[in-house]
């Protein structure tokens, strides 16, 4: 079997970023022979996005604020996404950079699937076929979340999707179509369901870097949350933790994490031994360094979510809240590592957490609420908070409909529970990008403050129908005949 080198994989073709040579600099006929199951496994291990989405999703969300004119460092990337401007360029930490990383991951998955299809590897290759299919579904879903309109149940979903690529590239610039949101989601669902059946956890020496059954089901719970198929969300959340013992697998925020020093916490947070983490990826990134003290970021207003009155329960959330000099706060979750290519040059990277038990539990809670199973929803919410509140008491601190109504002035049970869940996730996944996912799928309005040089504060708003909620495709995709997102 022959494996063609990836050409840039499609659409962002002319841009590949600083740390790597463009795939366009390599001949598409330069081939490497893939003739063993072991080599297939190695290839599939590269079918995960090599860049993160944290910088631009956090900046665009309401998990960032303007700290004041002349306060903190100004970064053009962060500034652009904070005000929902289209950033042109493929620099590190940009949406174009992430687009490239996803399609490169898809390319690796497609190459592996072609080799398996055309080879004679027998059943030994099937687990890797499953992993490649789920990885391809994941990358396409991430692209759909960020670069297309959200799926809306009960509508035709005929707005522009993203190119769903299922074949390896054999030319430098092929012709692609975006399809629709409906066709994109149909393709994702097919790959996901087909791939899940083939996974075999025993094949991985370090499972946390692969789509195990638990990680794939966690991804499925997220996918069906976007699709508003609530029964499927619950089904896959249950399959993620078959014992239903979510409490013992959640991030031990008020337990183990409370007793270790912050440097050890930052080291431990992304270790492969952490039970709450279901999927990790090594991502080329300078996120930790540029997000330490930016003008637009986690500041004095947002830190109040961790104060005593910051939760429905009326108790403070336990978290590592540090600062690089006020008002530059950080959750201190990410440690930057550096891979030396030579004695003096190399690549910065972080270990990104892509899927967790914690998110999966809250996916289930939201699905229960939508199905009006309020007791089950509240049970999950209380399980989530039980490891996060300072001095949690199961009797006095339990979140109830009455507490939700008193805190939010929302008497309708479904709306109140969903609001509680979204706010809990906003705090827990601060600086992890997930808040943007909830903003997109729930149509939440985002309000941002802006300080003038005079010190006067004004506000800007991103409403549920604002076209800027969908990130712009790389300008270069027009070379492949693709339509950009409307503005």
């Amino acid at each position: 079997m022959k494996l063609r080198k990836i050409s840039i994989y499609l659409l962002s073709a002319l841009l590949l970023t600083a740390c790597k040579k463009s795939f366009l600099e390599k001949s598409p006929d330069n081939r490497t022979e893939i003739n063993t199951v072991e080599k297939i496994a190695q290839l599939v291990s590269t079918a995960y996005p090599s860049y993160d989405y944290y910088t631009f999703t956090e900046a665009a969300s309401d998990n960032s604020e303007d700290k004041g004119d002349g306060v903190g460092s100004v970064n053009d990337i962060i500034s652009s996404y904070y005000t929902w401007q289209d950033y042109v360029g493929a620099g590190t930490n940009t949406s174009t950079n992430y687009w490239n990383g996803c399609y490169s991951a898809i390319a690796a998955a497609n190459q592996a699937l072609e080799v398996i299809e055309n080879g004679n590897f027998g059943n030994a290759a099937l687990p890797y076929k499953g992993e490649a299919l789920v990885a391809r579904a994941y990358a396409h879903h991430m692209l759909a979340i960020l670069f297309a309109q959200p799926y809306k149940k009960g509508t035709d979903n005929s707005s522009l999707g993203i190119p769903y690529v299922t074949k390896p590239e054999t030319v430098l610039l092929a012709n692609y179509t975006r399809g629709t949101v409906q066709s994109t989601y149909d393709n994702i669902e097919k790959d996901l369901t087909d791939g899940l059946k083939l996974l075999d956890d025993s094949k991985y020496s370090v499972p946390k870097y692969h789509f195990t059954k638990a990680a794939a089901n966690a991804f499925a719970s997220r996918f069906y949350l976007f699709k508003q198929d609530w029964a499927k969300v619950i089904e896959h959340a249950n399959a993620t933790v078959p014992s239903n013992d979510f409490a013992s697998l959640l991030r031990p925020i008020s337990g183990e994490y409370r007793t270790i020093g912050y440097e050890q916490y930052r080291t431990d947070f992304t270790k492969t031994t952490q039970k709450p983490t279901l999927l990790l990826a090594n991502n080329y990134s300078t996120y930790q360094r540029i997000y330490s003290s930016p003008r637009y970021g986690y500041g004095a207003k947002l830190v109040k979510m961790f104060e005593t009155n910051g939760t429905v329960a009326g108790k403070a959330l336990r978290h590592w809240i540090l600062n690089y000099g006020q008002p530059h706060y950080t959750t201190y979750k990410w440690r930057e590592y550096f891979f030396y290519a030579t004695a003096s040059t190399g690549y910065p990277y972080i270990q990104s957490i892509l899927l967790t038990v914690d998110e999966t539990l809250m996916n289930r809670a939201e699905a229960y609420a939508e199905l009006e199973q309020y007791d089950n929803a509240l049970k999950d919410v209380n399980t989530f908070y039980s490891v996060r509140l300072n001095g949690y008491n199961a009797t006095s601190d339990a979140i109830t409909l009455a507490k939700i109504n008193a805190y939010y002035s929302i008497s309708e049970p479904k709306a109140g529970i969903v609001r509680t869940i979204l706010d809990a996730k906003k705090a827990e996944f601060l600086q992890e990008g997930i808040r943007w996912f909830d903003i997109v799928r729930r149509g939440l309005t985002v309000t941002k403050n802006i300080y003038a040089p005079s010190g006067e504060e004004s506000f800007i708003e991103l409403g549920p129908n604002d076209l800027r909620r969908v990130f712009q495709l790389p300008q270069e995709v027009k070379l492949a005949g693709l339509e950009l997102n409307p503005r």
Side-chain angles (χ1 to χ4, degrees):
M1 264 329 108
K2 302 291 184 180
L3 170 64
R4 294 182 180 87
K5 291 272 187 170
I6 304 163
S7 61
I8 172 50
Y9 213 55
L10 102 135
L11 316 162
S12 40
L14 300 175
L15 275 183
L16 253 197
T17 52
C19 71
K20 295 183 179 181
K21 289 185 177 180
S22 169
F23 287 127
L24 282 176
E25 296 174 21
K26 304 173 184 179
S27 167
D29 290 323
N30 180 11
R31 305 178 184 201
T32 301
E33 191 169 9
I34 304 296
N35 53 13
T36 67
V37 173
E38 290 73 21
K39 289 181 180 179
I40 292 172
Q42 291 174 11
L43 176 58
V44 175
S45 71
T46 67
Y48 297 85
S50 52
Y51 305 105
D52 67 271
Y53 47 80
Y54 299 147
T55 298
F56 61 93
T57 54
E58 282 294 292
S61 80
D62 54 8
N63 266 344
S64 59
E65 65 182 83
D66 186 355
K67 302 169 189 176
D69 184 59
V71 179
S73 60
V74 176
N75 178 288
D76 288 344
I77 294 173
I78 295 175
S79 300
S80 294
Y81 290 111
Y82 182 83
T83 52
W84 311 302
Q85 299 176 52
D86 294 339
Y87 184 86
V88 178
T92 305
N93 308 313
T94 63
S95 54
T96 292
N97 190 246
Y98 188 70
W99 168 282
N100 289 337
C102 283
Y103 275 115
S104 291
I106 291 165
N110 285 337
Q111 294 287 358
L113 290 167
E114 182 184 68
V115 169
I116 293 169
E117 179 70 22
N118 296 333
N120 186 25
F121 300 101
N123 290 338
L126 291 181
Y128 305 108
K129 178 180 179 180
E131 183 183 2
L133 286 169
V134 177
R136 185 169 75 181
Y138 172 83
H140 279 109
H141 189 231
M142 291 303 300
L143 289 164
I145 291 171
L146 300 171
F147 297 98
Q149 293 289 338
Y151 186 96
K152 295 179 180 178
K153 188 176 181 178
T155 71
D156 62 7
N157 290 298
S158 58
S159 58
L160 289 170
I162 49 98
Y164 206 94
V165 184
T166 59
K167 299 293 182 183
E169 268 193 340
T170 57
V171 297
L172 290 180
L173 283 174
N175 290 321
Y176 297 93
T177 61
R178 292 187 60 172
T180 65
V181 168
Q182 184 66 56
S183 67
T184 299
Y185 270 72
D186 288 345
N187 285 322
I188 293 168
E189 187 168 20
K190 184 178 188 308
D191 275 353
L192 175 57
T193 53
D194 288 350
L196 256 169
K197 301 171 187 175
L198 302 175
L199 297 176
D200 183 351
D201 295 0
S202 68
K203 300 300 180 182
Y204 309 122
S205 58
V206 187
K208 294 296 175 75
Y209 287 106
H210 301 273
F211 267 115
T212 60
K213 291 179 181 178
N217 276 293
F219 162 44
S221 79
R222 178 194 286 176
F223 170 74
Y224 286 111
L225 197 70
F226 271 86
K227 203 175 178 187
Q228 301 119 64
D229 188 336
W230 313 118
K232 286 282 190 180
V233 174
I234 295 168
E235 174 189 337
H236 287 285
N238 290 342
T240 303
V241 183
S243 68
N244 200 34
D245 184 18
F246 277 87
S248 68
L249 297 176
L250 298 176
R251 290 173 175 173
I253 305 297
S254 60
E256 176 190 338
Y257 286 173
R258 180 178 60 83
T259 60
I260 58 178
Y262 60 85
E263 282 294 345
Q264 189 62 48
Y265 164 74
R266 186 166 65 147
T267 298
D268 289 354
F269 188 72
T270 55
K271 277 186 174 180
T272 59
T273 54
Q274 292 296 310
K275 293 179 181 179
T277 300
L278 297 173
L279 184 63
L280 282 165
N282 286 326
N283 288 160
Y284 179 91
S285 176
T286 58
Y287 175 63
Q288 179 57 39
R289 67 175 74 165
I290 70 170
Y291 232 79
S292 59
S293 56
R295 171 175 173 172
Y296 305 106
Y298 177 28
K301 294 182 179 179
L302 285 166
V303 80
K304 292 179 180 179
M305 73 175 77
F306 297 103
E307 294 178 352
T308 299
N309 63 350
T311 68
V312 179
K315 278 192 173 179
L317 286 169
R318 175 69 192 179
H319 226 298
W320 280 112
I321 305 170
L322 305 173
N323 66 74
Y324 293 93
Q326 295 182 356
H328 306 300
Y329 293 93
T330 177
T331 58
Y332 221 54
K333 292 176 177 178
W334 312 113
R335 179 183 292 279
E336 182 182 298
Y337 298 89
F338 201 82
F339 173 76
Y340 281 95
T342 68
S344 58
T345 63
Y347 314 123
Y349 71 94
I350 61 175
Q351 290 178 294
S352 297
I353 298 176
L354 305 185
L355 294 163
T356 65
V357 173
D358 303 72
E359 181 195 353
T360 305
L361 176 64
M362 295 307 263
N363 293 345
R364 188 175 76 171
E366 189 173 335
Y368 278 140
E370 288 289 347
L371 293 175
E372 300 182 3
Q373 298 181 33
Y374 301 134
D375 288 345
N376 285 334
L378 287 172
K379 183 178 179 181
D380 282 352
V381 170
N382 281 302
T383 298
F384 187 83
Y385 271 126
S386 70
V387 297
R388 288 170 168 81
L389 294 176
N390 284 327
Y392 178 80
N393 182 293
T395 301
S396 60
D397 296 333
I399 294 170
T400 64
L401 290 176
K403 285 185 179 180
I404 291 172
N405 186 16
Y407 189 78
Y408 290 115
S409 297
I410 299 175
S411 59
E412 201 281 310
K414 182 187 295 186
I417 293 174
V418 169
R419 173 67 182 275
T420 301
I421 291 167
L422 296 177
D423 282 358
K425 291 173 67 180
K426 174 180 166 68
E428 171 55 32
F429 300 111
L430 178 66
Q431 298 190 327
E432 295 183 54
I434 288 178
R435 176 61 174 176
W436 184 255
F437 303 168
D438 288 343
I439 288 169
V440 166
R441 66 183 183 81
R442 279 286 175 182
L444 304 180
T445 295
V446 182
T447 302
K448 299 282 191 74
N449 70 318
I450 299 287
Y451 281 108
S454 64
E456 181 181 355
E457 185 180 29
S458 60
F459 296 89
I460 56 176
E461 188 174 276
L462 189 75
N465 298 315
D466 197 309
L467 296 176
R468 296 172 299 169
R469 297 171 72 88
V470 180
F471 294 111
Q472 187 57 275
L473 275 60
Q475 295 293 315
E476 287 69 24
V477 303
K478 292 186 290 185
L479 296 175
L482 289 185
E483 183 179 349
L484 296 182
N485 285 323
R487 286 290 185 261

